[in-house]
Amino acid sequence: MDVELRQLRCLVAIVDEGTFTDAALALGVSQAAVSRTLASLEGALGVRLLRRTSRAVTPTSTGLRVLAHARRVLAEVDDLVRDALSGHAHLRIGYAWAALGRHTLAFQRRWGAEHPETELHLVRVNSPSAGLAEGACDLAVVRRPLDDRRFGSAIVGLERRLCALASDDQLARRRSVRLADLTGRTLLVDRRTGTATPDLWSPDARPAIEETHDVDDWLTVISTGRCVGMTAESTANQYPRPGVVYRPVPDAEPIAVRLAWWQDDPHPATQAVLELLTSLYRAS
């Protein structure tokens, strides 16, 4: 059974215009072509869709159901075409936990001022590619290298590593925390997207590991004091939380912030985003 878009458009036009003659005018074809197209649709479906009298054309009960589906299908196709044609007018940037930290607002405002022709949307997707592999975004901000040849990436800046602690933790009284201070603690990590791994410690000094998959759950558990966390400073900027404090970890190497894109189909705004993000991080 093959149903074509032109058949659905013909059915909708006949009902909306009221006659085969007016439908032919609306579609820019002959009345005979309209009759043949409707007949081919009814033949493909094996049902009668319209009743014709000398005064009017009305849908059968089956025709009403098919008509409703036809309108939805045609609307979806119109949206698809519109999205494809206007793709360069929209820019979706994905991120897993924290977008650009304290640079997030400045980036949005400067982009809007400097590139008003390209509408910016930040999209949170908790996946290793921050939504790039899933098609949820055009570019992605990631804090781990993407081991996938389909993607290109460039470092736009560096962020300090911070330790997240319950506000009543004894380590919270300090201005900074060292890696050795966390030996014997339980570290809460997101293995899919997080930047904290046991490799930050020597094999004989590693903390215990528990897993989470969401930043809100991560913060909730840490606030109880049962676990501690290690994260990029962007998380602290984007997710202040009562009961949780962040302390720098000066002996942990900083985290590289990368912008990633599809190698074979980069968004036209990729270079402009790279330049703006690099300038924001360089100025900080």
Side-chain angles (χ1 to χ4, degrees):
M1 180 186 299
D2 293 320
V3 174
E4 301 177 11
L5 292 178
R6 66 181 183 86
Q7 295 171 324
L8 300 181
R9 288 196 177 93
C10 180
L11 173 65
V12 170
I14 294 169
V15 174
D16 288 349
E17 300 300 326
T19 68
F20 280 61
T21 301
D22 291 338
L25 290 173
L27 294 171
V29 298
S30 68
Q31 183 175 336
V34 170
S35 298
R36 287 195 301 269
T37 302
L38 177 67
S40 67
L41 177 59
E42 291 181 326
L45 297 176
V47 293
R48 186 180 180 188
L49 300 174
L50 298 177
R51 295 189 187 92
R52 299 176 64 177
T53 68
S54 58
R55 294 184 177 181
V57 177
T58 58
T60 64
S61 58
T62 301
L64 286 172
R65 295 196 300 272
V66 173
L67 180 66
H69 284 292
R71 292 190 190 281
R72 287 196 293 270
V73 169
L74 293 173
E76 287 287 336
V77 171
D78 288 344
D79 288 344
L80 181 152
V81 173
R82 192 160 43 246
D83 182 67
L85 294 176
S86 65
H88 295 171
H90 298 274
L91 173 61
R92 301 166 301 164
I93 299 182
Y95 65 94
W97 275 36
L100 301 162
R102 59 195 176 93
H103 301 302
T104 302
L105 182 57
F107 173 68
Q108 291 174 295
R109 287 181 172 173
R110 283 188 55 180
W111 184 267
E114 297 173 15
H115 303 276
E117 74 286 354
T118 304
E119 186 176 343
L120 174 67
H121 299 275
L122 297 182
V123 183
R124 183 180 164 212
V125 182
N126 198 38
S127 75
S129 69
L132 201 57
E134 294 81 0
C137 60
D138 307 298
L139 301 172
V141 175
V142 295
R143 290 174 173 82
R144 300 197 321 188
L146 292 178
D147 187 20
D148 191 325
R149 293 184 179 181
R150 296 177 299 169
F151 305 127
S153 67
I155 295 175
V156 296
L158 299 174
E159 293 178 344
R160 298 180 300 165
R161 289 185 192 267
L162 304 183
C163 178
L165 305 152
S167 57
D168 58 356
D169 191 297
Q170 61 180 359
L171 292 178
R173 303 172 189 170
R174 302 185 185 181
R175 298 181 64 179
S176 64
V177 174
R178 303 190 71 81
L179 288 171
D181 297 327
L182 303 178
T183 299
R185 296 295 192 98
T186 299
L187 186 70
L188 191 60
V189 303
D190 183 344
R191 294 187 188 274
R192 295 179 303 170
T193 64
T195 55
T197 71
D199 294 335
L200 291 170
W201 290 263
S202 60
D204 60 344
R206 289 173 177 170
I209 298 293
E210 284 192 20
E211 290 195 47
T212 187
H213 301 295
D214 182 81
V215 64
D216 287 317
D217 293 340
W218 184 78
L219 289 165
T220 298
V221 173
I222 289 172
S223 68
T224 68
R226 183 167 61 84
C227 296
V228 298
M230 283 275 285
T231 190
E233 65 179 299
S234 56
T235 305
N237 284 280
Q238 196 146 336
Y239 296 103
R241 177 69 63 90
V244 175
V245 298
Y246 297 91
R247 296 291 182 262
V249 186
D251 61 337
E253 64 182 16
I255 295 168
V257 182
R258 292 174 168 84
L259 183 71
W261 58 87
W262 283 94
Q263 286 274 33
D264 63 350
D265 188 24
H267 192 282
T270 299
Q271 186 59 37
V273 175
L274 272 173
E275 292 174 0
L276 179 51
L277 291 182
T278 301
S279 69
L280 287 171
Y281 273 95
R282 185 184 297 126
S284 61

